[in-house]
Amino acid sequence: GKNLTISARGTLSADIEDGAKVHLQVKYGLIRLINQEADLCETVKNVDLNCPLKKGEMELKKDVELPKEIPPGKYTVLADVFTKDGDKITCLTATVVFHR
C-alpha cells in the first residue's frame, strides 16, 4: 500500500529505436512469475521516456504505487534489451525484498 521509488543508472551501448524489444523476467525466490517479451518503446513510456533513446549514459527515477497484497519475500527482476535486429544493447538486474 506504499510507493516504491525505482532509480536506475547505466550506459546504453547503442541507440534504441522503434522495434527494440525487452525480455523481462520477474522471480519470487526461485519461482518465475513473469517471463515475457515486450515492445521496449511502448514499455519505456511507463517511466516517462520516449524512443529513440540515444547511446550513452542514462538515468531514470519513477515512483510506483504498490498494492497491499504483495506477499513478503525476495523478488528479482531481469531485463535484457535488444535492437530491432536482435542485437543485445543492455541488461538490468534488480532485487527487491518486501518484509511483513
Side-chain angles (χ1 to χ4, degrees), residues 11-81:
T11 304
L12 296 175
S13 61
D15 291 348
I16 297 177
E17 300 171 341
D18 285 332
K21 301 285 183 195
V22 59
H23 181 246
L24 179 67
Q25 292 185 61
V26 177
K27 296 180 180 180
Y28 174 65
L30 298 174
I31 301 167
R32 189 179 306 165
L33 300 175
I34 297 173
N35 185 29
Q36 67 183 32
E37 188 173 276
D39 181 292
L40 183 70
C41 291
E42 287 299 315
T43 304
V44 297
K45 290 178 183 177
N46 295 326
V47 291
D48 305 323
L49 295 172
N50 291 298
C51 286
L53 300 173
K54 294 297 179 187
K55 174 181 173 177
E57 294 290 320
M58 168 173 267
E59 187 171 347
L60 65 89
K61 187 172 182 177
K62 179 73 175 178
D63 289 328
V64 179
E65 188 176 333
L66 299 174
K68 292 180 183 179
E69 300 81 20
I70 295 176
K74 180 180 176 182
Y75 293 79
T76 304
V77 178
L78 307 163
D80 292 310
V81 179

